[in-house]
Amino acid sequence: MAKTPRFLTLHFLLLVSVVILQLSALTSAFGINYGTLGNLPPPTQVVDFIKKNTIFDSVKIFDANPHILRALAGTGINVTIMVPNGNIPAIVNVENARQWVAANFLPFHQQTKIKYVCVGNEILAGKDENLISNLVPAMQSLNEALKTSGLKDMKVTTPHAFTIIDYNQNAPSHSIFNNDHKDFFTKILEFHRQAMSPFMINAYTYFMVDPNNVNYAMFGPSNGIQDTNTQHTYNNMFDAVMDATYSAMNALGYGDVDIVVGETGWPSACDAAWCTPQNAANYNLNIIKRENVIGTPLMPNRHIDIHIFALFNEDGKPGLTSERNWGLFKPDFSPVYDVGVLKGEYRGGDGGNPPSNGGKWCVAKQEATTTQLQANIDWVCSQGIDCKSISPGGICFDNNNIKTRSSFVMNAYYQSKGYTNTACDFRGSGMVTTRNPSTSTCVVPNVVGSENGGGKWCVAKEEATTTQLQANIDWVCSHGIDCKPISPGGICFDNNEMWTRSTYVMNAYYQSKGKSDNACDFHGSGIVITTNPSTRTCNVPDGRGGRSSNNMESSSGDHAHSR
């Protein structure tokens, strides 16, 4: 038999890799965990609410509830279902697995988009050796049963508590799986690779919080950490947890396996001072931003499916106060706090622009050489463009990613020239895109119109007093608006210019409320203008398109939930 030439094989593999990456980016999901332990509305009402009133395109449930699956039929919502822990030993037998599929999949799969099937939930955390020893065989049998039934697109996985990882907080890249389960994770990751299914992690920074790292854990203002191994800077614990998970997988040789976040969130009430509606809103608002942000420092080009915990406060859950207060909504569908998930609301904070707002960016072409990228940086920075953000210590500085740095300043120049195509040529190394090139640590501003093309800003009046300005700052920052850019170290912090700081947050609130005039009143101290109030170091977002944003800053125990 003739052999395929080696260079053709390599070329084919490269093409396949590109296609897989593109498909991954296109199918990235943003979901919500739908628990049912409480006096909650019926599934038909809940699903109708999710479909019509929220931005969620995925729902994760904790069983295979036929009433919920039937309600989800025809909605187009991706669904994650779960095999209860107690069923794991039985479905090791392939025939039993086929019967489970026949009972829980076949009646629904033609109309309900079941994407992931979880075999159990946080099995290692329960320390039941019978369940642990049977977990991988059960996943293999269920996967075989799905294939036999022709359901090849449904991916088998299992959620893990983050406690499975020996987390190195000073060097996330040195994190590894707990030594006593190293062989177990080699087997489970090999299953994922063969089945082309994702590794699922429940990534709660809340369970690692202490009085010294509260802000870091919940996306608040903090000094962050610099990985002593990679020199990457982490401004929030969530990204560090993601990279620690990747590093543990990569240490076993499985860095290519996709990662899905099965659960993450922050309770609005608990027995500690850091559980407040405001803190929960801040955490989840920043998680929501990742819907339109690509990657982490160690995974710069990956989209990660994320499922927030949870849809409702569940008053039927036992345990600590926090267990009953993870929800974004109360059982009557009223928000526990405003986090922008309702349709028509601001969706992604400073950098998360919905695709419908006409955003445009100038970025470096994929094939641009390092020499071209550095030349672009040098030239733009000599043309009066502020390059502080890509300098050492800046939010977009990354020694290992010159393309991100170059794209940031190329885009800044493109904006300054009224977003004309010629301003993005850069001798053939630049291109205009409508796909957000931001990363989790560097949000690249978008453009939806020129400075003279109808932009609107809410600013503080010149005659506003210092007391009024400070009151505006305090009030806005208590209503779910990200105030990190005006905090010490932020790009809009200036001890000598309170007017700029107040204007920045007043305008952010004004945008979040659909730029209505009432949202810029601030007891008579605010005014809507059409002249850009940005300074050289503080870019104040405009209001074009309703919710566009040009901000350069990224805001960036009882763990086993009872079911």
Side-chain angles (χ1 to χ4, degrees):
M1 180 181 294
K3 294 183 178 180
T4 303
R6 183 177 180 277
F7 74 92
L8 287 179
T9 304
L10 179 60
H11 181 65
F12 174 76
L13 291 173
L14 288 173
L15 286 175
V16 170
S17 299
V18 170
V19 171
I20 290 173
L21 285 172
Q22 290 175 339
L23 288 175
S24 176
L26 290 173
T27 58
S28 180
F30 182 63
I32 189 73
N33 282 271
Y34 171 16
T36 57
L37 294 182
N39 185 20
L40 302 175
T44 52
Q45 290 183 22
V46 174
V47 171
D48 189 62
F49 172 74
I50 294 171
K51 173 67 176 176
K52 294 180 179 178
N53 295 51
T54 78
I55 65 174
F56 296 114
D57 60 13
S58 298
V59 170
K60 179 169 166 281
I61 59 177
F62 293 85
D63 49 21
N65 187 313
H67 302 293
I68 297 177
L69 293 177
R70 197 170 292 116
L72 285 161
T75 62
I77 295 173
N78 291 308
V79 185
T80 298
I81 67 173
M82 186 173 289
V83 179
N85 290 3
N87 289 14
I88 289 175
I91 64 170
V92 170
N93 180 286
V94 175
E95 184 56 37
N96 289 342
R98 288 175 181 170
Q99 291 177 13
W100 196 91
V101 169
N104 295 281
F105 277 81
L106 297 184
F108 308 105
H109 82 280
Q110 290 185 339
Q111 292 184 300
T112 304
K113 292 180 62 177
I114 300 174
K115 184 175 181 179
Y116 299 130
V117 188
C118 296
V119 179
N121 189 42
E122 299 191 348
I123 295 303
L124 268 71
K127 298 181 180 180
D128 184 322
E129 290 301 326
N130 185 42
L131 295 182
I132 293 172
S133 63
N134 282 300
L135 179 58
V136 176
M139 294 171 71
Q140 293 169 332
S141 294
L142 185 61
N143 191 58
E144 182 60 34
L146 289 170
K147 287 183 178 179
T148 302
S149 300
L151 306 175
K152 298 179 181 179
D153 293 335
M154 298 178 189
K155 302 301 182 183
V156 175
T157 185
T158 185
H160 303 280
F162 187 66
T163 51
I164 61 172
I165 292 173
D166 184 5
Y167 174 54
N168 188 324
Q169 62 182 351
N170 294 317
S173 62
H174 278 176
S175 299
I176 58 174
F177 288 111
N178 297 335
N179 283 331
D180 52 345
H181 289 115
K182 181 178 178 180
D183 292 340
F184 171 84
F185 281 105
T186 298
K187 293 177 182 177
I188 205 165
L189 287 166
E190 181 60 27
F191 166 81
H192 285 309
R193 177 179 283 168
Q194 296 299 324
M196 292 185 290
S197 63
F199 184 83
M200 185 175 284
I201 191 78
N202 292 341
Y204 288 100
T205 64
Y206 168 75
F207 292 111
M208 295 184 284
V209 75
D210 63 49
N212 298 316
N213 69 3
V214 175
N215 282 344
Y216 180 57
M218 68 176 189
F219 294 93
S222 72
N223 293 327
I225 67 106
Q226 185 176 58
D227 189 307
T228 55
N229 178 45
T230 65
Q231 304 306 308
H232 286 303
T233 297
Y234 292 89
N235 297 314
N236 65 83
M237 189 186 290
F238 180 82
D239 285 352
V241 164
M242 289 293 94
D243 278 355
T245 303
Y246 165 79
S247 297
M249 296 164 62
N250 197 48
L252 295 181
Y254 294 92
D256 58 309
V257 173
D258 284 339
I259 298 172
V260 168
V261 176
E263 301 176 25
T264 191
W266 197 277
S268 57
C270 72
D271 301 319
W274 44 77
C275 292
T276 66
Q278 171 59 32
N279 288 349
N282 186 63
Y283 182 87
N284 283 320
L285 179 63
N286 280 279
I287 289 297
I288 289 167
K289 287 181 180 181
R290 272 129 183 88
E291 180 195 12
N292 282 325
V293 171
I294 303 170
T296 64
L298 293 184
M299 299 180 286
N301 296 312
R302 282 201 196 182
H303 283 276
I304 296 175
D305 288 4
I306 296 177
H307 301 79
I308 287 180
F309 191 88
L311 183 62
F312 294 116
N313 279 343
E314 298 172 71
D315 58 11
K317 293 178 70 174
L320 301 176
T321 301
S322 61
E323 281 299 298
R324 293 176 290 280
N325 290 280
W326 288 87
L328 302 183
F329 297 95
K330 300 174 184 177
D332 64 357
F333 299 113
S334 62
V336 177
Y337 45 81
D338 181 9
V339 75
V341 296
L342 293 174
K343 286 182 178 177
E345 295 291 323
Y346 185 54
R347 291 184 60 182
D350 298 322
N353 305 288
S356 60
N357 71 2
K360 294 196 296 181
W361 294 262
C362 174
V363 300
K365 287 182 177 179
Q366 191 66 39
E367 63 270 23
T369 65
T370 299
T371 301
Q372 287 176 307
L373 297 176
Q374 187 60 56
N376 293 345
I377 291 172
D378 295 341
W379 186 82
V380 170
C381 295
S382 72
Q383 299 296 306
I385 298 299
D386 178 20
C387 291
K388 183 177 179 181
S389 294
I390 67 162
S391 300
I395 59 170
C396 295
F397 178 75
D398 181 348
N399 279 317
N400 298 317
N401 198 340
I402 192 172
K403 184 180 177 185
T404 297
R405 301 202 304 276
S406 184
S407 289
F408 185 93
V409 295
M410 289 164 66
N411 184 68
Y413 179 80
Y414 170 68
Q415 284 193 58
S416 72
K417 296 302 179 183
Y419 57 95
T420 62
N421 288 339
T422 55
C424 187
D425 182 71
F426 291 95
R427 297 188 178 182
S429 65
M431 62 179 284
V432 175
T433 179
T434 57
R435 181 176 176 182
N436 194 330
S438 299
T439 69
S440 58
T441 55
C442 179
V443 176
V444 182
N446 75 325
V447 178
V448 291
S450 70
E451 185 168 313
N452 298 318
K456 294 198 297 181
W457 294 262
C458 173
V459 304
K461 289 182 177 178
E462 291 293 340
E463 62 269 25
T465 66
T466 300
T467 300
Q468 287 176 307
L469 297 177
Q470 187 60 57
N472 293 344
I473 292 172
D474 294 342
W475 187 85
V476 170
C477 295
S478 70
H479 281 71
I481 298 299
D482 175 27
C483 290
K484 185 177 180 181
I486 69 163
S487 301
I491 59 171
C492 295
F493 178 76
D494 182 345
N495 281 318
N496 299 318
E497 190 50 79
M498 184 176 283
W499 185 91
T500 298
R501 299 204 305 279
S502 183
T503 286
Y504 184 93
V505 296
M506 290 164 65
N507 182 68
Y509 179 80
Y510 169 70
Q511 285 194 58
S512 75
K513 298 302 179 183
K515 63 184 195 306
S516 68
D517 289 345
N518 288 339
C520 188
D521 182 70
F522 291 97
H523 295 288
S525 65
I527 183 173
V528 176
I529 65 172
T530 57
T531 302
N532 193 330
S534 298
T535 68
R536 180 177 174 82
T537 56
C538 181
N539 191 20
V540 182
D542 73 7
R544 277 185 296 273
R547 287 156 179 80
S548 68
S549 174
N550 293 340
N551 180 25
M552 297 181 185
E553 174 78 350
S554 174
S555 70
S556 352
D558 52 349
H559 177 56
H561 296 297
S562 304
R563 293 290 159 216

